[in-house]
């Protein structure tokens, strides 16, 4: 079979790598891909932008693509699944209406309230004065979020009322373009985060392995939010009891609610959760896609055929091809360009990628490009270096051994990815 994978980040490199290993796959076209997918066997980059739906449709027809997988949220919000399905093409991903669970935070918060799914108390504001009054009344810590897609960066966890005021002034002042016109203000949730992703087809679903990412730029989970600086799987905070509660209290009512509202969801449904000290899950956000960088460690652990799973979902029953997992843990360290998550420099040559990293390591590319045969930086998050190991600590050691062999001017990465899980392991309470 010939596949089309839409996207060009780290998540898509991992998807392309895994899909190319599927038994039935002859070739994976990646639109537009990156330098990592360009170097992957049985993968071929095609220079079609991920959000150009008419050009993607034309590509799929011209190349006689049998099955399409959508990586990022942009093309979902642009209606790529609706367009492919209307043209009779097989595609894995949610429709535009179903993907609104990610693209509008205000829709999601109202949806959660309607279906009594646990989440932080919140209000939606469209003008500054009312928002300021609400923040002053509720006090800090408090969380201020721009509505709409802002690439994971439209969220400020304000530790003081002043910080919240500043965030509101910025968002209503247009710092995030159109995404800032509506702002959600919600109570701060305490606990430990986990990413819980399922492959869904309407109300049927199978969970993927649990994961946890680190959103803050600096060690110790400090500094501004990013798209994610590293991740690991499994997430020890998702014990079997927590897992059962997440399914019953979050995933199932969400899939039922979406179906009941005419937004039947087929695709990867990602629940970003805060797990309280007593194991209570609360929804922070939903994504209508796989997480990045969670995908990289999750897919490193996947021991079964990914295409069979996604194809079974498009046929209505992902449970027909349930995933099997390696018993090891996997951990990915994001190497980012200098300046990220602010303004970054592009075009720096990356050294050390040609080294022998061994069978327990995989270097996934994110923001990379080829310039005259040399791999250069072309985005904020540049690489996600993944290691496999008997536990999170061993996976971390494998990943950082590889990180130490790679360098470019201005690179930055966190040195503590996985620390919470390793603390749990040290307490003799591994996953
Ligand atoms: P979001 O884009 O909604 O996932 O938010 C990005 C990050 O901000 C989350 O992964 C959390 O680390 C943090 N965050 C968002 N909402 C809350 C909340 N209500 N309480 C505590 N932290 C939050
Ligand atoms: N790593 C979080 C996300 O993909 O949204």
């Amino acid at each position: 079979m010939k596949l089309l994978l839409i996207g060009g980040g780290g998540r898509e490199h991992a998807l392309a790598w895994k899909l190319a290993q599927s038994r039935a796959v002859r070739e994976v076209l990646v639109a537009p891909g990156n330098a990592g997918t360009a170097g992957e066997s049985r993968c071929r980059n095609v220079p079609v932008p991920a959000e150009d739906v008419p050009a993607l449709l034309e590509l799929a027809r011209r190349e006689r693509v049998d099955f399409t997988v959508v990586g990022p949220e942009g093309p979902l919000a642009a209606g790529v699944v609706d367009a492919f399905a209307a043209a009779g093409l097989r595609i894995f991903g949610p429709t535009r209406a179903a993907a609104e669970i990610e693209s509008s935070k205000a829709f999601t918060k109202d949806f959660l309230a309607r279906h009594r799914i646990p989440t932080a108390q919140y209000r939606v504001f469209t003008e500054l004065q009312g928002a300021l009054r609400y923040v002053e009344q509720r006090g800090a810590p408090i969380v201020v979020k721009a509505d709409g897609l802002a690439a994971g960066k439209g969220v400020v966890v304000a530790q003081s009322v002043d910080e919240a005021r500043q965030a509101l002034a910025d968002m209503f002042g247009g710092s995030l373009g159109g995404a800032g016109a509506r702002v959600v203000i919600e109570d701060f949730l305490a606990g430990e985060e986990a990413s819980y992703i399922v492959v869904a087809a309407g109300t049927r679903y199978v969970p993927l392995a649990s994961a946890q990412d680190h959103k803050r730029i600096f060690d110790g989970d400090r500094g501004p939010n990013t798209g994610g600086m590293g991740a690991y799987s499994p997430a020890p905070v998702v014990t079997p009891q927590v897992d059962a509660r997440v399914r019953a209290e979050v995933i199932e009512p969400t899939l039922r609610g979406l179906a009941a509202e005419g937004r039947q969801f087929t695709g990867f449904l990602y629940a970003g959760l805060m797990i309280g000290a007593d194991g209570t899950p609360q929804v922070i956000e939903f994504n209508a896609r796989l997480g990045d960088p969670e995908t990289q460690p999750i897919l490193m652990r996947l021991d079964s055929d990914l295409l069979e799973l996604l194809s079974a979902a498009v046929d209505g029953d992902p449970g027909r091809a349930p995933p099997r997992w390696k018993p090891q843990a996997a951990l990915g360290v994001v190497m980012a360009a200098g300046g990220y998550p602010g303004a970054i420099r592009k075009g720096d040559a990356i050294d050390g990628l040609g080294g022998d990293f061994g069978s327990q390591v995989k270097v996934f590319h994110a923001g990379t490009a080829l310039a005259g045969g040399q791999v250069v930086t072309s985005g904020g998050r540049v690489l996600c270096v993944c290691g496999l190991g008997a536990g999170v600590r061993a996976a971390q050691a494998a990943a950082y051994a590889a990180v130490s062999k790679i360098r470019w001017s201005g690179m930055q990465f966190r040195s503590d990815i996985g620390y919470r899980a390793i603390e749990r392991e040290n307490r003799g309470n591994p996953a």
Side-chain angles (χ1 to χ4, degrees), residues 393-417:
R393 180 209 287 279
Q396 187 199 52
Y400 278 109
V403 165
S404 72
K405 297 177 186 161
I406 300 171
R407 54 176 35 85
W408 70 88
S409 161
M411 69 177 183
Q412 50 169 344
F413 55 86
R414 281 181 55 163
S415 64
D416 66 345
I417 299 302

Side-chain angles (χ1 to χ4, degrees), residues 109-199:
K109 293 299 285 190
D110 293 343
F111 173 89
L112 290 167
R114 272 200 298 286
H115 296 282
R116 305 208 190 319
I117 298 164
T119 191
Q121 194 183 319
Y122 71 100
R123 292 234 343 238
V124 181
F125 292 91
T126 53
E127 51 88 33
L128 180 61
Q129 288 315 319
L132 287 172
R133 273 197 303 277
Y134 183 72
V135 158
E136 276 151 23
Q137 172 201 326
R138 290 215 63 87
I142 192 149
V143 182
V144 180
K145 303 185 174 188
D147 196 19
L149 298 172
K153 291 167 221 156
V155 175
V156 175
V157 181
Q159 297 302 329
S160 67
V161 169
D162 266 349
E163 202 185 328
R165 280 201 200 101
Q166 187 59 52
L168 287 169
D170 289 350
M171 286 180 194
F172 283 112
S175 68
L176 296 160
R182 278 151 72 86
V183 171
V184 175
I185 302 179
E186 65 178 45
D187 288 356
F188 175 79
L189 296 171
E192 188 168 340
E193 280 183 67
S195 305
Y196 196 95
I197 306 172
V198 304
V199 173

Side-chain angles (χ1 to χ4, degrees), residues 61-396:
R61 287 200 176 111
R62 186 178 70 236
E63 292 273 0
R64 301 182 185 285
V65 164
D66 300 290
F67 193 88
T68 298
V69 178
V70 189
E73 62 271 29
L76 298 171
V80 73
V81 171
D82 310 65
F84 272 55
L89 297 170
R90 278 165 67 76
I91 185 165
F92 179 77
T95 59
R96 191 209 308 248
E100 247 199 286
I101 195 84
E102 165 162 12
S103 57
S104 168
K105 286 188 194 296
F107 166 77
T108 304
K109 293 299 285 190
D110 293 343
F111 173 89
L112 290 167
R114 272 200 298 286
H115 296 282
R116 305 208 190 319
I117 298 164
T119 191
Q121 194 183 319
Y122 71 100
R123 292 234 343 238
V124 181
F125 292 91
T126 53
E127 51 88 33
L128 180 61
Q129 288 315 319
L132 287 172
R133 273 197 303 277
Y134 183 72
V135 158
E136 276 151 23
Q137 172 201 326
R138 290 215 63 87
I142 192 149
V143 182
V144 180
K145 303 185 174 188
D147 196 19
L149 298 172
K153 291 167 221 156
V155 175
V156 175
V157 181
Q159 297 302 329
S160 67
V161 169
D162 266 349
E163 202 185 328
R165 280 201 200 101
Q166 187 59 52
L168 287 169
D170 289 350
M171 286 180 194
F172 283 112
S175 68
L176 296 160
R182 278 151 72 86
V183 171
V184 175
I185 302 179
E186 65 178 45
D187 288 356
F188 175 79
L189 296 171
E192 188 168 340
E193 280 183 67
S195 305
Y196 196 95
I197 306 172
V198 304
V199 173
T203 55
R204 296 183 169 159
Y205 71 96
V206 296
L208 299 180
S210 64
Q212 187 164 343
D213 81 345
H214 290 269
K215 290 235 171 59
R216 305 298 192 96
I217 185 79
F218 300 130
D219 281 9
D221 295 315
R222 281 183 246 278
N225 263 316
T226 70
M229 291 301 290
Y232 53 91
S233 171
V237 68
V238 184
T239 60
Q241 292 87 332
V242 169
D243 187 273
R245 288 192 64 179
V246 170
R247 295 174 68 145
E249 295 170 31
V250 175
I251 300 298
E252 289 161 20
T254 298
L255 293 175
R256 277 199 306 270
L258 285 168
E261 296 187 12
R263 297 172 190 263
Q264 162 133 343
F265 191 103
T266 294
F268 294 110
L269 178 69
Y270 167 130
L273 303 171
M274 189 68 85
I275 312 293
D278 65 350
T280 301
Q282 303 228 59
V283 175
I284 296 174
E285 62 161 349
F286 283 115
N287 293 315
R289 52 167 176 83
L290 283 169
D292 189 341
E294 292 94 326
T295 302
Q296 293 86 319
I298 289 175
L299 291 187
M300 246 189 122
R301 296 185 59 219
L302 181 62
D303 219 6
S304 51
D305 192 295
L306 179 59
L307 177 61
E308 280 176 13
L309 171 61
L310 305 188
S311 185
V314 169
D315 292 335
D317 188 6
R320 251 186 26 220
R324 281 193 317 276
W325 303 99
K326 293 187 175 139
Q328 291 107 310
L331 181 141
V333 177
V334 168
M335 299 181 76
Y340 180 75
I344 52 136
R345 199 169 77 186
K346 298 183 181 182
D348 288 306
I350 305 173
D351 290 325
L353 287 174
D356 177 12
F357 297 111
S359 62
Q360 302 301 93
V361 167
K362 176 73 188 172
V363 178
F364 292 111
H365 291 222
T368 65
L370 285 168
Q374 165 74 45
V375 180
V376 301
T377 64
S378 73
R381 291 186 291 173
V382 176
L383 302 171
C384 180
V385 179
C386 288
L388 269 179
V392 177
R393 180 209 287 279
Q396 187 199 52

